[in-house]
Amino acid sequence: MSIRFEQKQGILTLLTDQTAYQMQIGPLGYLLHTYYGRRCEGSFAYLHLERDCGFSPNPYELSYARSFSMDNMPQEYSGSNAGDFRLASVLAETEDGIRGADLRYVNHEIRRGKYSLQGLPAAFAAAGDEDAVETLSVTLRDAASGLEAELLYGVYEKQNVITRAVRFRNAGQKKVKLRKAASACLDLPFGEWDSISFHGRHAMERMPDRGPVRNGIQTVSSGRGASSHQHNPFVILCEHDATEDHGECYGLMLCYSGNHRIEIERDQTDSVRAVAGIGGDGFCWKLEPGESLDTPELLMCFTAEGLDALSGTYHRFIRRSLCRSPWSGKKRPVLLNSWEAAYMDINEDRILQLARDAKKLGVEMLVLDDGWFGSRNDDHRALGDWTPNLEKLPHGLDGLIRRVNDEGLKFGLWIEPEMVSENSDLYRAHPDWVLAVPGRKPAIGRSQMVLDLSRDEVADWMYETVARLLRENHIEYIKWDMNRSITDVYSALLPADRQGEVSHRYMLGLYRVMDRLVSEFPQVLFEGCAGGGGRFDAGILAYFPQIWCSDNTDAVARLLIQQGTSYGYPASALGAHVSASPNHQTGRSTPFGTRAAVAMAGTFGYELDPAKLSPEEQAEVTQQIGRFHEVEELVREGDYHRLTGAENNRYTAWQFVSEDRNESLFTLVLTEPEGNPRPLHLRLKGLDPERAYRVVWAEYAGCRYREEMKLPAPISGAALMYGGITVPRIYGDYPSVQALFRAV
Ligand code: GLA
């Protein structure tokens, strides 16, 4: 049993192999949070001493004692306007103006298996894990409004993950509006913490940002209608001295792709509270009596063993218990994407030429990116008109696909179904289908408008449009793009008092479409995309096993982008391609082999015109693909270790280790070559100290001069991890070294 109830003290404890999480039904039914940390037994209520603290109010019934205050006792799920001045988890308002929520325990239930959520992505119990996952549901109630909050906890005993969500129910007689409905609150009453968040911009996503949690409130949020390039819905709280290999770390990852908000407050007593959930300033959800709303899920993880262990826990969890696509555990085809090869300047001959050239080099799938449909000759038109442009593709999509298949390649297609161009047949037929505020022209992003997915008919049209493409054509891969932020949030069909629901309803519509498509077409490999990595989150990964990591394909810029991404998300989910040099986004030239080494830390493919490569480079492509086949399972299923941190601007190194510790792929890219360089020494990770390893192959790229790697052969895992390796001197512009180690 991973969930225990100790009745006498009213203590509920959630246990995983390495962690314990505890709450107590306290005085007057306040649900207090007593502990989250390393696994240990017993009650932790003793830690939280009641005290009279000035200007912190007491519940009416305890006002003589003055020693119990909601404002300084750690809460499991904070209310509002009822004595706790720290961050609220819920802001509620009844039709007659009662504001706030004073939440008290009603009952709880412990069940086998994992709860699911209405219309939202959520983790599940994988086959074979059914006995190792339990659900706790604790219902709290606000007497004044009748609002109930059912706190849901999924306890993954073996995986050291606890998922959380809240089901709100209006059990009263009056309408209730929720202006804030967080998925979880986590109080850390003691300790000094750093926060690590992942900010960025288009083509520079998920830059790690670490700093101490200071007094006051800091917020990581998106109001862009997508989880965003700017602030990923994932935050780590860790001890000031936590490193990759030691220190306590908490992870808070929202399984949601829309507006989100993760707030962290350090209060008057230096206690820290994190509250995470749906965001967006305009959020307001109306619950009629009897109605309910599920919040998105939060994937929560604790480890005392540093950031490497935290990342590993998320990687394994996402692969095993969140991604339900059968592709999650399968080898993905090495693809060539037409975007950076031809942009919109495409036609059947050009695509077939790309296919032929790619096939010769060992590529397995041709992906036709933007430009194939309607009058799409530039990005000012035609989104919404998802029929092939017959001038470019005279034999239609079907004819093209047959020809590509005849060349021996699979075929994949780019679509952007959530959007519409003003200049499109779809917009001309349904101008009211876009999000637009009456009386105001909507803001335009990349010359396009956003379809109102909160409307069932629009979501149904979208599903039908994509389903038809998949039914009528032999498409084996879809790149699902979304290329602007959402503004002018107003839905023509909803009444005034439900307009605050539009952004979340949009997400529910999107998830419904995605759910139907992946259920009906499990054989299709879907890749998420939003101008690169603008919607790289656990919500999308519940449906699609991979996401295009960034529109920035520069291998050196990618080092930081991919490393930032790796804190939460597995390499199996990270779309990465080798592109041309000089790079189209940064103008930088990098060695071909270094580009391949970096793309091999993801799904691996190409995004260039093979005909423009020299014969030597073409031969190199074949070798690169051969090497990728050798390591792809290791990359997809193995443990990923960062060997260098963001503070290192001289070189970046990482390592994959297979689960059985038989194999390991080591990669290092030198970004700042030095004159008379200092020795470059690293310790490998995750190997079996008892076993001996040999280098199967070592591949150097971009070296104007280099020395040989001098390692004893064989060499013990202990030597590689504790003694480490000294990388031989390499000189050049962004040279790299990759080495595959195998146990002998
Ligand atoms: C977005 C994607 C790119 C490409 C273009 C096509 O920017 O991220 O990879 O598909 O759209 O317009």
Side-chain angles (χ1 to χ4, degrees):
M1 286 290 277
S2 50
I3 303 176
R4 295 184 192 162
F5 181 51
E6 205 273 288
Q7 194 155 11
K8 221 164 105 216
Q9 290 189 74
I11 298 259
L12 278 157
T13 308
L14 319 182
L15 291 168
T16 71
D17 277 354
Q18 285 163 35
T19 67
Y21 183 101
Q22 196 178 76
M23 63 195 88
Q24 182 184 33
I25 306 156
L28 307 171
Y30 286 104
L31 191 63
L32 305 177
H33 175 74
T34 52
Y35 182 72
Y36 186 27
R38 268 181 213 245
R39 180 172 172 137
C40 44
E41 305 283 327
S43 154
F44 292 91
Y46 74 91
L47 290 172
H48 311 290
L49 304 177
E50 293 181 10
R51 63 188 186 284
D52 182 354
C53 184
F55 284 80
S56 284
N58 318 107
Y60 184 83
E61 298 86 332
L62 298 176
S63 57
Y64 282 98
R66 288 197 192 168
S67 57
F68 180 93
S69 171
M70 299 72 80
D71 198 33
N72 53 38
M73 291 302 271
Q75 306 289 327
E76 188 54 34
Y77 190 75
S78 54
S80 49
N81 197 22
D84 184 349
F85 289 100
R86 295 167 294 175
L87 286 169
S89 305
V90 52
L91 295 175
E93 186 184 324
T94 63
E95 56 188 319
D96 50 2
I98 295 173
R99 281 163 180 256
D102 183 9
L103 296 168
R104 312 286 181 99
Y105 172 88
V106 178
N107 56 31
H108 75 269
E109 196 194 337
I110 298 168
R111 302 191 287 269
R112 269 192 60 196
K114 170 69 188 357
Y115 64 85
S116 52
L117 296 173
Q118 196 61 39
L120 285 166
F124 53 85
D129 289 351
E130 294 85 352
D131 291 335
V133 186
E134 283 190 344
T135 292
L136 168 68
S137 122
V138 186
T139 299
L140 309 179
R141 188 165 205 270
D142 173 58
S145 64
L147 179 69
E148 286 183 359
E150 182 185 348
L151 311 186
L152 293 162
Y153 300 80
V155 184
Y156 287 76
E157 193 178 343
K158 298 273 172 282
Q159 289 158 280
N160 292 307
V161 169
I162 295 175
T163 67
R164 294 182 62 176
V166 180
R167 178 161 296 151
F168 283 100
R169 247 186 318 265
N170 183 351
Q173 307 300 321
K174 305 166 197 157
K175 291 175 193 158
V176 176
K177 280 185 173 172
L178 294 172
R179 296 195 184 276
K180 183 175 188 182
S183 303
C185 165
L186 177 66
D187 274 0
L188 300 174
F190 313 115
E192 296 284 325
W193 305 101
D194 276 0
S195 71
I196 307 178
S197 54
F198 303 90
H199 72 102
R201 57 187 187 275
H202 174 236
M204 269 332 265
E205 299 88 342
R206 290 172 298 286
M207 302 286 110
D209 187 8
R210 178 171 178 166
V213 173
R214 308 225 314 254
N215 288 87
I217 297 172
Q218 74 191 61
T219 304
V220 170
S221 68
S222 166
R224 294 169 175 265
S227 51
S228 85
H229 303 86
Q230 285 73 13
H231 299 286
N232 196 261
F234 174 46
V235 168
I236 299 170
L237 292 172
C238 61
E239 289 179 310
H240 288 328
D241 59 356
T243 63
E244 287 290 338
D245 303 312
H246 92 272
E248 299 201 346
C249 312
Y250 296 89
L252 305 171
M253 178 184 284
L254 277 166
C255 190
Y256 192 56
S257 318
N259 293 339
H260 62 84
R261 182 173 291 141
I262 303 178
E263 298 162 287
I264 301 158
E265 175 173 13
R266 194 162 112 133
D267 74 359
Q268 55 177 344
T269 62
D270 297 341
S271 166
V272 169
R273 167 173 293 173
V275 171
I278 293 182
D281 288 344
F283 175 78
C284 180
W285 194 279
K286 186 174 82 171
L287 291 177
E288 296 280 353
E291 282 185 348
S292 66
L293 172 74
D294 286 359
T295 72
E297 183 157 274
L298 183 79
L299 311 177
M300 209 166 63
C301 164
F302 168 82
T303 175
E305 325 254 282
L307 297 164
D308 180 280
L310 187 91
S311 299
T313 302
Y314 276 116
H315 296 175
R316 286 186 289 271
F317 187 79
I318 288 172
R319 289 197 304 254
R320 184 173 182 84
S321 308
L322 184 70
C323 287
R324 60 197 175 86
S325 164
W327 279 99
S328 172
K330 272 206 277 193
K331 181 184 177 308
R332 326 277 163 83
V334 173
L335 63 80
L336 184 131
N337 178 297
S338 67
W339 183 240
E340 288 194 24
Y343 294 98
M344 290 191 202
D345 186 13
I346 49 159
N347 56 45
E348 186 177 288
D349 288 343
R350 183 130 195 228
I351 294 301
L352 283 176
Q353 195 54 48
L354 279 179
R356 265 178 229 123
D357 293 344
K359 171 70 186 169
K360 270 189 248 150
L361 308 182
V363 168
E364 297 164 304
M365 179 162 74
L366 192 283
V367 174
L368 174 53
D369 208 284
D370 199 350
W372 60 268
F373 51 91
S375 60
R376 187 76 167 172
N377 295 318
D378 57 42
D379 64 9
H380 294 281
R381 66 202 79 242
L383 289 173
D385 300 343
W386 300 108
T387 47
N389 177 318
L390 293 178
E391 275 166 37
K392 294 182 185 181
L393 307 179
H395 301 96
L397 208 44
D398 188 45
L400 172 71
I401 295 173
R402 254 185 283 117
R403 286 168 171 77
V404 170
N405 289 164
D406 287 346
E407 297 295 336
L409 287 182
K410 297 174 189 299
F411 180 85
L413 190 67
W414 176 96
I415 49 171
E416 194 183 354
E418 296 160 68
M419 299 293 156
V420 62
S421 309
E422 197 170 13
N423 184 359
S424 68
D425 294 341
L426 181 70
Y427 184 76
R428 283 183 281 274
H430 299 285
D432 62 320
W433 276 16
V434 302
L435 290 170
V437 171
R440 196 161 82 201
K441 287 280 183 206
I444 299 296
R446 206 195 184 196
S447 300
Q448 61 201 49
M449 299 185 197
V450 185
L451 288 173
D452 178 2
L453 262 181
S454 73
R455 290 170 68 156
D456 286 348
E457 63 192 317
V458 178
D460 289 344
W461 167 87
M462 191 172 300
Y463 160 76
E464 269 309 327
T465 305
V466 182
R468 193 172 329 114
L469 277 172
L470 293 175
R471 278 189 214 117
E472 292 174 1
N473 303 286
H474 186 220
I475 296 168
E476 298 184 72
Y477 159 106
I478 286 282
K479 176 175 170 188
W480 182 298
D481 212 338
M482 190 273 193
N483 278 318
R484 61 159 289 181
S485 301
I486 301 182
T487 62
D488 300 276
V489 179
Y490 182 95
S491 176
L493 283 196
L494 285 175
D497 62 353
R498 289 211 180 265
Q499 290 298 330
E501 301 174 11
V502 174
S503 294
H504 184 54
R505 284 181 183 271
Y506 180 99
M507 293 316 305
L508 293 174
L510 177 66
Y511 288 141
R512 188 160 63 83
V513 173
M514 286 167 46
D515 183 58
R516 289 176 76 184
L517 288 169
V518 297
S519 307
E520 189 175 334
F521 303 98
Q523 76 283 6
V524 175
L525 169 60
F526 285 88
E527 175 155 357
C529 179
R535 212 164 51 183
F536 202 116
D537 58 68
I540 296 294
L541 289 177
Y543 304 96
F544 299 169
Q546 62 191 57
I547 304 173
W548 182 227
C549 182
S550 177
D551 272 350
N552 190 341
T553 58
D554 174 299
V556 175
R558 274 283 184 128
L559 292 173
L560 192 52
I561 298 171
Q562 295 185 181
Q563 188 166 71
T565 306
S566 80
Y567 281 86
Y569 308 100
S572 61
L574 190 155
H577 299 164
V578 178
S579 62
S581 182
N583 178 267
H584 293 192
Q585 292 81 39
T586 62
R588 178 172 14 215
S589 299
T590 51
F592 201 34
T594 296
R595 280 175 268 152
V598 174
M600 274 187 216
T603 56
F604 196 71
Y606 291 82
E607 182 122 358
L608 44 69
D609 185 348
K612 295 193 178 138
L613 297 174
S614 68
E616 295 75 32
E617 286 172 326
Q618 292 181 352
E620 236 186 283
V621 171
T622 308
Q623 280 173 16
Q624 291 167 355
I625 294 176
R627 274 204 307 284
F628 182 69
H629 287 317
E630 227 183 304
V631 299
E632 82 80 26
E633 190 179 343
L634 173 57
V635 169
R636 176 167 44 81
E637 301 282 329
D639 288 340
Y640 170 91
H641 302 283
R642 291 173 292 272
L643 300 181
T644 49
E647 72 290 347
N648 185 328
N649 56 9
R650 233 179 112 205
Y651 55 91
T652 301
W654 63 93
Q655 196 196 341
F656 290 97
V657 182
S658 62
E659 207 185 332
D660 60 11
R661 298 196 280 180
N662 250 338
E663 280 195 333
S664 178
L665 178 68
F666 164 80
T667 309
L668 176 140
V669 180
L670 184 63
T671 41
E672 267 314 310
E674 294 180 328
N676 187 16
R678 291 166 286 169
L680 210 158
H681 175 264
L682 289 154
R683 291 198 170 97
L684 298 194
K685 291 188 178 173
L687 302 172
D688 185 341
E690 306 288 319
R691 285 155 83 185
Y693 293 84
R694 223 180 253 286
V695 175
V696 186
W697 49 255
E699 202 48 55
Y700 295 82
C703 302
R704 295 234 159 73
Y705 165 81
R706 72 175 168 88
E707 293 165 353
E708 285 303 320
M709 180 102 81
K710 288 196 186 86
L711 289 178
I715 176 168
S716 73
L720 290 167
M721 291 193 294
Y722 312 144
I725 58 175
T726 306
V727 178
R729 282 188 290 179
I730 48 180
Y731 290 83
D733 291 329
Y734 311 108
S736 63
V737 50
Q738 264 189 313
L740 180 66
F741 290 85
R742 193 170 288 148
V744 290

